[in-house]
Amino acid sequence: MPQPFSMAIHGGAGTILREQMSDELQVSILADLEASVRAGYNVLAKSGDALDAVVAAVKVLEDSPNFNAGKGSVLTNKEMVEMDASVMHGLDMDAGAIAGVRHIKNPVELARDVMTKSNHVFLIAEGAEEFAFEHGYEFIEQDYFFTDRRYDQLQSMKEKGLFALSESKYPDDKKFGTVGAVALDQHGNLAAATSTGGITNKKYGRVGDSSIIGAGTFAENGNVAVSTTGMGEFFIRKTVAGDVAARMRYLKEDVHTASESVIQGELKEMGGEGGLIAIDHNGDVHFAMNSSGMYRACIDVDGELSIKIYADE
Ligand code: ASP
């Protein structure tokens, strides 16, 4: 029997409220989600590697202003964009991550290159950019990443004197908007990638879970690949992505049970709002969320496409 393959992506937990979602925006978001999952799936269909598939899928969402990653990232307290990303390949459990980069068009590519072209796993800020420029990356001005929507969002947050940690008072309807992808390829490799601008009004070089292996991203062949989205301060402390993998590895839970146990369990009890996407070694996909929704799509082992926004869909 041929090795099954499948692909899943997310565009962040905590979606825009139904009543505030215009038809135009919804059409645009759905088109991006479809383009992303298809970009990844096309790599898999041509017998490509799961890591190339997740990077291809995440790049599509980084390039869209609709999501909080790459172009369209949220703004820091100093009105800058500072982005975090990570990737993991399940074969040798290789990983790469970057945090606090300001001038890299596709942070997910840089995370991959940290994994494949450096002896390190995690590079930050100016150092990560120095590494990037040494490896031929173009310097991208901050203007490229800016969108009016994120600027208004930051001003509203500042006027109210709120920090993004007051997640229950997010002016943007609790929309987190981080992006991520997980894939199983035809060689049985699992991979995961996550990319984000973090949270609005962040200060002091704050970094969330998205660039932390075991919190925001995890992949282990024969087991599972996971990418998360939500309030990073909780996801880091609960090592969410790694916990799903550990439950499957030690408790022999399936991907659905493990994902739900983590997202609806102690994480939720401690106030950790968000969700995750996971794909197991058979290509079985699970979307878990304790938020009002999560932008998400998958193409399953039968080649069936599914795209959803709200939790009750
Ligand atoms: N997890 C991200 C962070 O805390 C936010 C998000 O998922 O949108 O930086």
Side-chain angles (χ1 to χ4, degrees):
M1 213 173 98
Q3 162 74 37
F5 61 101
S6 57
M7 178 87 214
I9 56 137
H10 71 80
T15 52
I16 291 178
L17 298 174
R18 268 196 175 92
E19 51 274 25
Q20 289 178 2
M21 173 74 89
S22 67
D23 288 348
E24 200 186 356
L25 183 60
Q26 178 151 342
V27 166
S28 170
I29 287 172
L30 293 176
D32 285 340
L33 295 174
E34 179 167 350
S36 167
V37 75
R38 286 198 186 284
Y41 191 80
N42 287 344
V43 173
L44 300 176
K46 288 182 191 142
S47 205
D49 189 272
L51 184 70
D52 294 331
V54 292
V55 170
V58 165
K59 268 183 74 175
V60 170
L61 300 177
E62 286 180 337
D63 291 343
S64 164
N66 288 329
F67 304 91
N68 173 20
K71 187 174 181 61
S73 286
V74 298
L75 300 181
T76 67
N77 180 264
K78 293 197 171 140
E79 306 188 351
M80 303 283 288
V81 162
E82 287 178 359
M83 299 164 289
D84 312 328
S86 63
V87 301
M88 188 161 184
H89 192 288
L91 179 62
D92 295 319
M93 300 186 75
D94 276 338
I98 49 102
V101 299
R102 295 175 172 174
H103 304 104
I104 304 298
K105 182 166 181 267
N106 292 109
V108 72
E109 288 189 321
L110 184 54
R112 180 203 57 204
D113 286 347
V114 169
M115 173 184 138
T116 56
K117 298 179 181 166
S118 86
N119 295 323
H120 309 295
V121 170
F122 199 175
L123 303 180
I124 62 162
E126 288 89 353
E129 294 196 344
E130 191 184 332
F131 171 82
F133 302 138
E134 277 177 13
H135 286 81
Y137 279 72
E138 191 189 340
F139 179 99
I140 304 294
E141 295 290 350
Q142 282 267 305
D143 284 358
Y144 164 78
F145 302 102
F146 275 54
T147 54
D148 290 344
R149 178 162 155 258
R150 297 302 188 197
Y151 185 75
D152 295 346
Q153 202 179 329
L154 176 66
Q155 297 317 317
S156 132
M157 197 74 126
K158 280 185 167 176
E159 272 162 31
K160 291 177 192 151
L162 293 176
F163 289 98
L165 279 182
S166 318
E167 78 279 7
S168 59
K169 295 174 189 157
Y170 264 141
D172 195 22
D173 318 309
K174 298 187 181 179
K175 183 181 179 302
F176 298 106
T178 287
V179 309
V182 290
L184 171 71
D185 70 25
Q186 297 196 39
H187 315 284
N189 292 312
L190 286 161
T194 312
S195 179
T196 190
I199 52 176
T200 304
N201 207 13
K202 64 184 181 180
K203 280 175 140 179
Y204 314 125
R206 178 268 185 194
V207 174
D209 57 320
S210 308
S211 56
I212 299 187
I213 301 302
T217 300
F218 197 78
E220 181 180 32
N221 274 14
N223 193 21
V224 70
V226 182
S227 169
T228 71
T229 168
M231 203 56 192
E233 280 64 12
F234 296 92
F235 281 65
I236 292 172
R237 286 178 285 158
K238 290 303 294 176
T239 54
V240 168
D243 203 24
V244 171
R247 295 188 75 97
M248 292 175 66
R249 196 185 316 123
Y250 301 126
L251 298 177
K252 307 293 174 210
E253 288 182 352
D254 63 35
V255 67
H256 311 287
T257 309
S259 301
E260 290 297 324
S261 305
V262 172
I263 291 293
Q264 312 298 350
E266 285 172 22
L267 178 76
K268 187 175 173 186
E269 282 158 31
M270 70 196 272
E273 185 181 358
L276 62 79
I277 57 174
I279 199 161
D280 73 9
H281 67 290
N282 294 315
D284 216 357
V285 170
H286 191 78
F287 298 106
M289 74 209 81
N290 62 36
S291 51
S292 57
M294 179 169 74
Y295 298 122
R296 60 201 188 275
C298 74
I299 301 182
D300 68 16
V301 289
D302 299 319
E304 291 291 321
L305 169 73
S306 143
I307 311 176
K308 292 179 178 167
I309 295 180
Y310 300 102
D312 55 11
E313 283 182 83

